[in-house]
């Protein structure tokens, strides 16, 4: 068991299959208590393979493992580098938090279909872990489908025509995205006969078929990731879903599409380095940052603000394409981690607001620190992190991205990042401004009983974690650099 | 033990930070515990800063360093400039805490108020003790975040509007500053503070350095309320009086002015700044701000608004001194960092007393105020006369050094600015004093002093302000310390 690759294979297998089996168990064994306990157990237990896999990667660098010794192109390979590792950790931490929250949240919602909800979340989890560990185009497709088909039903749990319409729209976008992506995979397979990312040679991917494939795959993944301008499904679906589901959709599911996009463009297609194309894609990303932020500034509901903020924050992923340096790579991963923690904190806190004030209308927040202290603190801390103000994880990500822009001589992206941060501060402080307002007439303090201490502590802890990331930049930098597709330029100069 | 002693700047910052967290944790209802934490932290901070002061004077090295990002360190240190700002803040924080406890007696949200109040001071201490521009920026932004809840504390529509304007300016300035700092680090490889400048020669082209300087200057100038980036300051006076006192005297505008000092003296160094021609940019914008702010103060009837415009004007004396260069002007600019703080906090305390005790908020309501509140108005008069620059009060010392500094370096226009400013200062302060002491009070006016917790802080700061002028030649006066600093840069 000392061989890092073998250790890694065991860990990866557990990460994918334990949630899958747990989903089955939750579905088959009745009882809410059992389901809640099992979910927590899985979330805690999976930290073991995660820690072991991290050590394996630290020892051996980025790892490939072929199941049953059948290597690509015939067998199925698993793969992990710093990016994958970061996403796996984020997934596990967020799922632990969401399960803790959900267990408490469900106690007040006897009519909620807890079993189905938990089973779907576990399946989603398995799909996400699989996606982050997969190393060939077709496996990635399968995992992407599992993620999509478990994510869409989560929206419907809110019941009612609005939720159904939002879920339908999400489903249509997601299926269109799948078709585009699959078309790309088919084209590449027809052209080269290969699927594994590492066997796809750059020479084979230069022809018109490969370029077409990249174009359709990018379009499909953009739909899944809700990148501007194909984001239309996201704000509605994320705003209407039950709060724990909104958190997962925003923090992880949308990011999965962006993750794959980065993998393709910086992996087998890295040779397509037409400056105009890359600059254009990043410009689309910036347009998304601006558009999402401006929309977030106009929302009247808290969850609407948070959902549009996701559209904005996903745009940062595309900045990595033209910058293409280790500093930018670390910056984008850091941004993804912080965003995941902060966004989850915000959605869960919004869930508390809905519980206590009856709705997440922003004007219900007036005088909210009387009854919403902890949740409001979570929103404020997470918001500060989203806006990239120091000393938070968002600030570290922003610093790296600005540094990468200036090092590459592309100062216009530095300006865009600055503008994006300001707009984010704008919508965050707009929410807080409502909370600082003195209510015009004394409103009755809502029912305290409906929110348990756990439901307050989970978002607060996540928000604090997103701030804590502001102090671990030096510590995590070497982990993020494992297997990065760029040579180490010695960190920042 | 030596490690603990050397990390003293960290403990100075942590005192307020821990106090802030403790106050948040105590909650709204535990009033006595909150007052105890507040006062204990304020007193402890004065003691720690006093130890630091003596240590720096004796030439001890203070420093604390953690690597936060590859190649970028979080550095706290203590040099003589650090002491200038941190002594001022520590003393005035203690006084302002007492004032604020009295001022907010019985009002809601005190837990929130005092928590952010402490956080604000922690940030100011960090600004003072930062050992490089990166660390400076962390605290500079923290200061913005910590002051916003104080500005909007009252929760009225007007306060929220002022808060939004405040954030728009300060966060915008912060974004510009961030890009400037990253650019500085990318192109020159350093953001450290070192007397005489830390940028290695020939590290970047003149054009790049000029752009970087301008980015950094604009980022600092927003908080220092340099025209045309000043609009937030007169609006922010809707905040409660102790907050205005803090914003105007020690925290926000001082952080900006202090940043300009660090930028010119410790990052670029005065020689490189002059080589880029940027010293004139600093001096001329400061000169324009001085005259413009005074003119706007003339037109304001609201007392706090008049004081706010006066701050816009007076804080730029610091920038003027830095921009002119030369030993005398440098002393004049730096010493005004302290002088303006002492005088302006006195004036704001008094304005708060007038409003709280008798509801006097406008200059036009001040007839006979001297007889209604003799002690408060005595303190006010001392501050106002100091601002005008009546010899031998603190403002005179500043103006004397700035004027002679201007002549020394051949920049005679500075004298013109100082004369214009003094005349304008007199024109907007003397009518207030005339109304207060000469005019009769209205027939139905109430007479009575403010409660002790509001009155004493004003008297104490007035005495400090008077002492800074009368005793300027004595050891340990602000002037004495600034001369000690100036030796470093010459």
């Amino acid at each position: 068991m000392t061989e890092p690759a073998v250790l890694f294979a065991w860990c990866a297998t557990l990460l994918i299959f334990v949630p899958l089996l747990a989903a089955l168990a939750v579905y088959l064994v009745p009882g809410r208590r059992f389901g809640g306990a099992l979910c927590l157990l899985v979330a805690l237990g999976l930290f073991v393979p995660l820690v072991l896999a991290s050590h394996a990667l630290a020892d051996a660098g980025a790892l490939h493992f072929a199941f049953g010794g059948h290597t690509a192109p015939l067998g199925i390979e698993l793969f992990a580098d710093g990016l994958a590792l970061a996403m796996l950790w984020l997934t596990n931490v967020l799922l632990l938090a969401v399960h803790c929250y959900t267990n408490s949240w469900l106690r007040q919602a006897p009519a909620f279909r807890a079993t189905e909800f938990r089973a779907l979340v576990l399946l989603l989890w398995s799909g996400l872990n699989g996606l982050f560990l997969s190393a060939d185009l077709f496996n990635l497709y399968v995992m992407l489908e599992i993620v999509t088909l478990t994510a869409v039903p989560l929206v419907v749990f809110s019941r009612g025509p609005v939720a159904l319409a939002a879920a339908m729209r999400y489903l249509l976008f997601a299926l269109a995205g799948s078709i585009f992506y699959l078309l790309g995979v088919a084209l590449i397979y027809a052209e080269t006969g290969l699927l594994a990312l590492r066997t796809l040679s750059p020479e084979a991917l230069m022809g018109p078929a490969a370029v077409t494939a990249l174009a359709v795959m990018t379009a499909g993944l953009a739909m899944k990731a809700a990148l501007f301008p194909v984001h239309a499904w996201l704000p509605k679906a994320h705003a209407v879903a039950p709060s724990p589901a909104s958190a997962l959709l925003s923090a992880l599911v949308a990011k999965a599409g962006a993750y794959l996009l980065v993998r393709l463009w910086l992996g087998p297609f890295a040779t397509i380095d037409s400056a105009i194309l890359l600059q254009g894609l990043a410009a689309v990303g910036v347009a998304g940052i601006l558009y999402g932020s401006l929309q977030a500034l106009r929302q009247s509901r808290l969850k609407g603000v948070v959902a549009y903020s996701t559209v904005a924050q996903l745009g940062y992923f595309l900045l990595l394409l033209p910058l293409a340096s280790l500093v930018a790579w670390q910056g984008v991963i850091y941004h993804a981690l912080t965003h995941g923690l902060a966004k989850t904190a915000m959605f869960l806190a919004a869930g508390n607001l809905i519980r206590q004030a009856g709705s997440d209308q922003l004007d219900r927040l007036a005088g909210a620190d009387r009854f919403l202290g902890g949740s409001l603190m979570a929103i404020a801390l997470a918001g500060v992190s989203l806006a990239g103000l120091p000393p938070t994880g968002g600030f570290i990500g922003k610093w790296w991205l600005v540094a990468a822009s200036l090092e590459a001589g592309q100062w216009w992206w530095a300006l865009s990042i600055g503008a994006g941060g300001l707009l984010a501060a704008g919508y965050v402080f707009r929410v807080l401004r409502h909370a600082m307002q003195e209510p015009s007439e004394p409103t009755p303090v809502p029912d305290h009983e409906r929110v348990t201490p756990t439901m307050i502590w989970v978002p607060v802890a996540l928000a604090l974690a997103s701030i804590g990331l502001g102090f671990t930049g030096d510590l995590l930098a070497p982990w993020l650099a494992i297997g990065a597709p760029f040579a180490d330029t010695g960190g920042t100069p | 033990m030596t490690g603990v002693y050397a990390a003293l700047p960290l403990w100075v910052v942590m005192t307020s930070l821990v106090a802030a967290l403790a106050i948040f944790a105590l909650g709204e209802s535990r009033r006595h515990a909150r007052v105890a934490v507040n006062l204990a932290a304020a007193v402890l901070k004065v003691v720690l800063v006093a130890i630091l002061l003596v240590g720096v004077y004796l030439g001890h090295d203070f420093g604390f360093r953690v690597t936060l990002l590859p190649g970028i360190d979080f550095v706290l240190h203590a040099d003589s400039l650090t002491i200038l700002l941190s002594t001022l803040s520590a003393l005035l924080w203690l006084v302002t805490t007492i004032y604020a406890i009295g001022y907010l007696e019985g009002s809601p949200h005190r837990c929130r108020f005092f928590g952010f109040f402490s956080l604000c001071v922690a940030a100011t201490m960090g600004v003072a003790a930062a050992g490089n521009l990166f660390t400076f920026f962390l605290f500079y932004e923290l200061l913005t975040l910590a002051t916003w809840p104080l500005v909007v504390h009252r929760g009225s529509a007007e306060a929220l509007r002022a808060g939004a304007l405040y954030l728009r300016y300060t966060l915008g300035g912060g974004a510009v500053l961030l890009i400037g700092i990253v650019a500085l680090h990318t192109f020159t490889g350093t953001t450290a503070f070192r007397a005489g400048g830390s940028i290695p020669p020939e590290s970047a082209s003149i054009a790049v350095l000029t752009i970087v300087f301008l980015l950094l200057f604009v980022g600092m100038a927003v908080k220092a309320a340099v025209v045309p980036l000043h609009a937030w300051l007169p609006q922010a006076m809707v905040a409660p009086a102790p907050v205005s006192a803090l914003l105007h005297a020690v925290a926000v505008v001082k952080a900006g002015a202090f940043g300009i000092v660090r930028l010119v003296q410790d990052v670029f160094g005065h020689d490189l700044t002059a080589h880029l021609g940027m010293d004139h940019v600093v001096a001329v914008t400061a000169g324009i701000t001085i005259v413009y702010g005074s003119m706007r103060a003339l037109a304001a009837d609201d007392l706090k608004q008049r004081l706010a415009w006066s701050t816009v004007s007076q804080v730029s004396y610091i920038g003027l001194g830095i921009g002119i260069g030369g030993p005398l002007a440098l002393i004049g600019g730096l010493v005004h960092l302290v002088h303006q703080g002492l005088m302006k906090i006195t004036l704001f305390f008094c304005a708060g007393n007038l409003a709280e005790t008798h509801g006097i908020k406008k200059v036009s309501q001040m007839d006979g105020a001297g007889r209604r509140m003799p002690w408060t108005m005595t303190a006010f008069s001392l501050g106002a006369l100091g601002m005008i620059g009546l010899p031998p009060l603190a403002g005179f010392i500043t103006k004397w050094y700035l004027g002679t500094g201007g002549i020394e370096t051949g920049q005679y226009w500075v004298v013109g600015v100082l004369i214009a400013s003094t005349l304008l200062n007199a024109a907007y302060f003397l009518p207030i004093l005339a109304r207060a002491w000469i005019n009769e009070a209205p027939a139905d006016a109430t007479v009575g002093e403010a409660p002790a917790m509001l009155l004493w802080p004003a008297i104490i700061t007035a005495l400090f302000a008077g002492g800074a002028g009368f005793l300027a030649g004595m050891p340990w006066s602000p002037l004495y310390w600034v001369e000690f600093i100036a030796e470093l840069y010459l």
Side-chain angles (χ1 to χ4, degrees):
Chain A
M1 283 303 293
T2 47
E3 184 75 19
V6 180
L7 182 63
F8 167 68
W10 274 101
C11 295
T13 313
L14 288 173
L15 284 170
I16 297 171
F17 286 99
V18 169
L20 190 68
L21 295 174
L24 268 178
V26 164
Y27 194 73
L28 294 177
V29 182
R32 281 186 162 203
R33 279 175 162 277
F34 170 77
L38 185 67
C39 286
L40 282 187
L41 195 69
V42 170
L44 288 173
L46 282 186
F47 279 109
V48 175
L50 213 46
V51 169
L52 293 176
S54 306
H55 278 288
L57 254 68
D59 290 342
L63 280 173
H64 282 273
F65 180 80
F67 268 117
H70 305 294
T71 52
L74 287 176
I76 289 178
E77 282 193 348
L78 294 179
F79 164 78
D81 60 1
L83 172 61
L85 198 61
M87 297 306 291
L88 289 170
W89 271 97
L90 180 67
T91 308
N92 221 54
V93 168
L94 292 188
L95 274 143
L96 175 62
V98 167
H99 279 307
C100 279
Y101 182 89
T102 311
N103 287 351
S104 234
W105 185 77
L106 282 172
R107 251 173 253 157
Q108 306 281 339
F112 196 82
R113 300 177 70 104
T115 306
E116 287 83 349
F117 185 78
R118 284 196 177 112
L120 276 171
V121 169
L122 285 164
L123 278 177
L124 172 68
W125 189 356
S126 168
L128 284 168
N129 280 349
L131 181 78
F132 297 136
L133 287 164
S134 293
D136 73 71
L137 290 174
F138 189 75
N139 259 348
L140 285 167
Y141 168 74
V142 173
M143 293 304 176
L144 204 58
E145 282 304 272
I146 294 179
V147 168
T148 304
L149 294 178
T150 50
V152 175
L154 288 178
V155 178
V156 193
F157 276 82
S158 282
R159 306 260 182 101
V162 183
L164 267 182
M168 199 55 173
R169 188 196 271 246
Y170 181 11
L171 187 68
L172 291 178
F173 267 95
L175 288 184
S178 301
I179 291 168
F180 275 116
Y181 177 81
L182 191 61
L183 183 63
V185 176
L187 275 171
I188 289 175
Y189 190 67
E191 185 78 7
T192 65
L194 297 170
L195 286 171
L197 291 178
R198 69 173 172 136
T199 57
L200 283 166
S201 66
E203 297 78 39
L205 289 172
M206 287 304 283
V211 174
T212 315
L214 180 63
V216 291
M217 285 161 95
T218 304
L221 291 172
M223 289 182 193
K224 297 243 184 205
L227 294 174
F228 178 82
V230 283
H231 62 280
W233 61 269
L234 183 142
K236 288 201 167 60
H238 287 197
V240 79
S243 298
S246 307
L248 292 177
L249 294 178
S250 253
L252 293 169
V253 176
K255 226 166 265 165
Y259 165 89
L260 200 45
L261 209 55
V262 167
R263 275 267 182 264
L264 291 181
W265 279 87
L266 296 180
F269 292 99
T271 42
I272 299 183
D273 53 358
S274 138
I276 295 176
L277 194 59
L278 296 177
Q279 294 285 331
L281 275 170
V284 171
V286 169
I289 295 174
L290 300 180
Y291 172 83
S293 306
L294 290 174
Q295 286 296 323
L297 276 168
R298 299 178 48 202
Q299 299 302 307
S300 59
R301 284 169 177 273
L302 179 55
K303 283 178 80 171
V305 175
V306 187
Y308 267 109
S309 155
T310 302
V311 173
Q313 304 283 329
L314 286 166
Y316 286 96
F317 275 87
L318 292 179
L319 289 180
L320 181 53
L321 304 183
L323 295 177
S325 65
L326 183 65
V327 178
W329 167 266
Q330 289 171 333
V332 163
I333 301 178
Y334 225 78
H335 172 78
L337 292 177
T338 312
H339 172 255
L341 292 167
K343 212 25 90 62
T344 308
M346 281 195 140
F347 267 122
L348 297 184
N352 293 349
L353 175 68
I354 294 175
R355 271 284 164 86
Q356 291 198 305
S359 111
D360 61 342
Q361 291 284 350
L362 286 177
D363 44 22
R364 294 286 179 100
L365 279 168
D369 54 352
R370 283 170 306 140
F371 60 93
L372 206 67
S375 308
L376 198 61
M377 189 169 108
I379 292 174
L381 294 177
V384 166
S385 190
L386 275 186
L389 293 167
T392 63
F395 170 68
I396 302 285
K398 198 158 102 177
W399 175 282
W400 265 328
L401 281 172
V402 172
S405 313
L406 294 179
E407 272 168 38
Q410 302 174 17
W411 50 267
W412 47 92
W413 301 130
L415 296 186
S416 313
I417 294 162
L422 282 181
L423 286 168
Y427 58 72
V428 167
F429 279 99
R430 184 168 158 266
V431 172
L432 297 179
R433 188 179 161 177
H434 279 280
M436 295 295 277
Q437 193 159 23
E438 284 299 318
S440 44
E441 68 242 37
T443 45
V445 175
D447 191 1
H448 274 280
E449 294 302 307
R450 306 209 53 184
V451 170
T452 59
T454 316
M455 287 169 68
I456 292 171
W457 277 109
V458 169
V460 169
L462 288 171
L464 285 175
S466 80
I467 289 186
L469 280 178
F471 298 90
T472 55
D474 189 50
L475 196 73
L476 295 183
W479 292 90
L480 305 184
I482 294 175
F486 314 100
D488 190 345
T489 52
T492 47
Chain B
M1 191 58 207
T2 51
V4 173
Y5 177 65
L8 203 53
L10 178 68
W11 309 132
V12 170
V13 175
M14 290 303 274
T15 314
S16 316
L17 201 61
V18 171
L21 296 179
I23 289 168
F24 282 131
L26 281 173
E28 187 67 35
S29 56
R30 293 158 77 175
R31 179 175 162 271
H32 292 290
R34 184 169 58 237
V35 170
V37 170
N38 254 324
L39 291 179
V43 170
L44 178 63
K45 181 178 295 293
V46 172
V47 172
L48 289 179
V49 170
I51 299 172
L52 199 62
L53 186 151
V54 174
V56 168
Y57 188 70
L58 295 176
H60 295 172
D61 274 333
F62 293 100
F64 173 79
R65 180 181 289 267
V66 189
T67 302
L68 214 54
L69 285 175
I72 297 170
D73 289 353
F74 172 88
V75 185
L76 291 175
H77 74 163
D79 60 7
S80 45
L81 265 179
T82 304
I83 296 298
L84 192 70
L85 183 58
S86 56
T87 312
L88 177 77
S89 306
L91 279 178
L92 294 191
W93 185 37
L94 178 56
V95 180
T96 311
T97 304
I98 297 170
Y99 186 87
I101 292 170
Y103 187 89
L104 289 173
E105 190 72 46
S107 71
H109 303 303
R110 273 177 295 173
C111 165
R112 185 178 81 194
F113 180 90
F114 282 106
F116 283 110
F117 193 71
S118 288
L119 204 57
C120 178
V121 179
T124 308
M125 290 295 167
V127 164
N132 58 24
L133 211 43
F134 175 79
T135 315
F136 177 89
F137 181 75
L138 297 187
F139 288 108
Y140 192 78
E141 291 292 81
L142 184 64
L143 187 59
T144 305
L145 298 181
T147 42
W148 179 75
L150 300 178
V151 172
V152 301
H153 182 72
R154 292 199 205 276
S156 63
E158 196 192 2
L160 291 170
R161 260 199 311 280
L165 189 70
Y166 173 63
L167 278 186
R168 236 171 269 155
Y169 272 84
T170 48
L171 290 179
V176 174
L177 186 59
L178 173 67
I179 294 177
I181 294 173
V182 179
L184 181 73
H185 187 258
T186 307
F187 297 123
T188 71
T190 178
T191 67
F193 292 151
R194 195 172 307 120
S198 65
I199 295 181
E202 310 293 318
S203 58
S205 69
I206 294 286
V208 167
L209 287 176
T210 306
I211 292 172
V212 170
F213 186 94
L214 285 174
L215 287 171
L216 296 172
F217 179 63
V218 167
M220 310 284 190
V222 170
K223 278 214 172 96
V226 172
V227 173
L229 305 167
H230 63 285
W232 63 270
L233 184 60
Q235 297 293 316
M237 58 88 209
V238 297
V243 175
S244 299
L246 200 75
L247 291 186
H248 286 258
V250 289
V252 178
V253 293
K254 280 301 154 62
F258 190 75
I260 294 175
V261 176
R262 287 284 195 203
L263 170 65
V264 173
Q265 297 293 340
D266 286 355
V267 176
F268 280 73
H270 197 272
D271 293 343
L272 181 55
T273 310
H275 181 60
L276 298 174
M278 288 294 118
D279 55 340
H280 296 303
V281 173
V282 175
V284 171
T285 50
I288 293 170
T289 309
I290 290 171
V291 176
Y292 179 80
S294 300
M295 280 164 49
R296 292 298 299 265
L298 212 50
D301 184 35
D302 187 298
L303 182 59
K304 281 181 78 181
Q305 196 147 30
R306 185 172 290 195
L307 294 179
W309 280 111
S310 160
T311 303
V312 171
S313 165
Q314 292 275 337
V315 166
S316 273
Y317 279 49
I318 303 165
L320 184 66
I322 299 300
I324 297 170
L328 293 173
L330 179 65
I331 290 174
L334 288 178
V335 81
H336 204 56
L337 196 92
V338 178
H339 287 167
Q340 187 270 348
L342 295 173
M343 296 186 289
K344 192 43 69 65
I345 205 165
T346 309
L347 293 174
F348 267 107
F349 283 163
C350 294
N353 290 358
L354 287 165
E356 284 302 292
T357 319
H358 298 299
I360 299 174
K361 290 180 176 162
K362 292 184 186 305
V363 175
S364 52
Q365 297 168 335
M366 286 190 70
D367 290 333
R371 252 150 286 172
R372 296 167 75 183
M373 302 183 82
W375 288 107
T376 297
M377 283 315 295
T378 305
F380 187 92
S381 305
L382 201 59
L385 293 174
M387 283 288 185
I388 296 169
L390 190 76
L393 291 172
F396 169 73
I397 310 273
T398 306
K399 288 178 185 177
W400 175 262
Y401 275 93
L402 286 176
T404 47
I407 293 168
E408 182 193 47
T409 53
Q411 303 181 52
Y412 295 101
W413 61 272
V414 173
V415 181
V417 167
L418 290 172
I419 292 174
S421 158
T422 304
L423 291 177
L424 287 165
N425 289 163
Y428 65 77
F429 274 129
L430 288 182
I432 301 180
L433 300 188
R435 273 180 188 274
W437 294 110
I438 299 171
N439 287 11
E440 286 294 329
D444 58 341
T446 46
V447 176
E449 261 306 343
M453 278 181 90
L454 300 187
L455 182 58
W456 279 104
I459 291 177
I460 291 169
T461 52
L463 289 176
F464 279 148
F470 278 109
L471 307 176
M474 305 287 279
W476 302 105
S477 74
L479 186 64
Y480 177 83
W481 188 263
V482 167
E483 284 171 348
F484 174 68
I485 297 175
E487 284 169 18
L488 260 180
Y489 294 97
L490 300 170

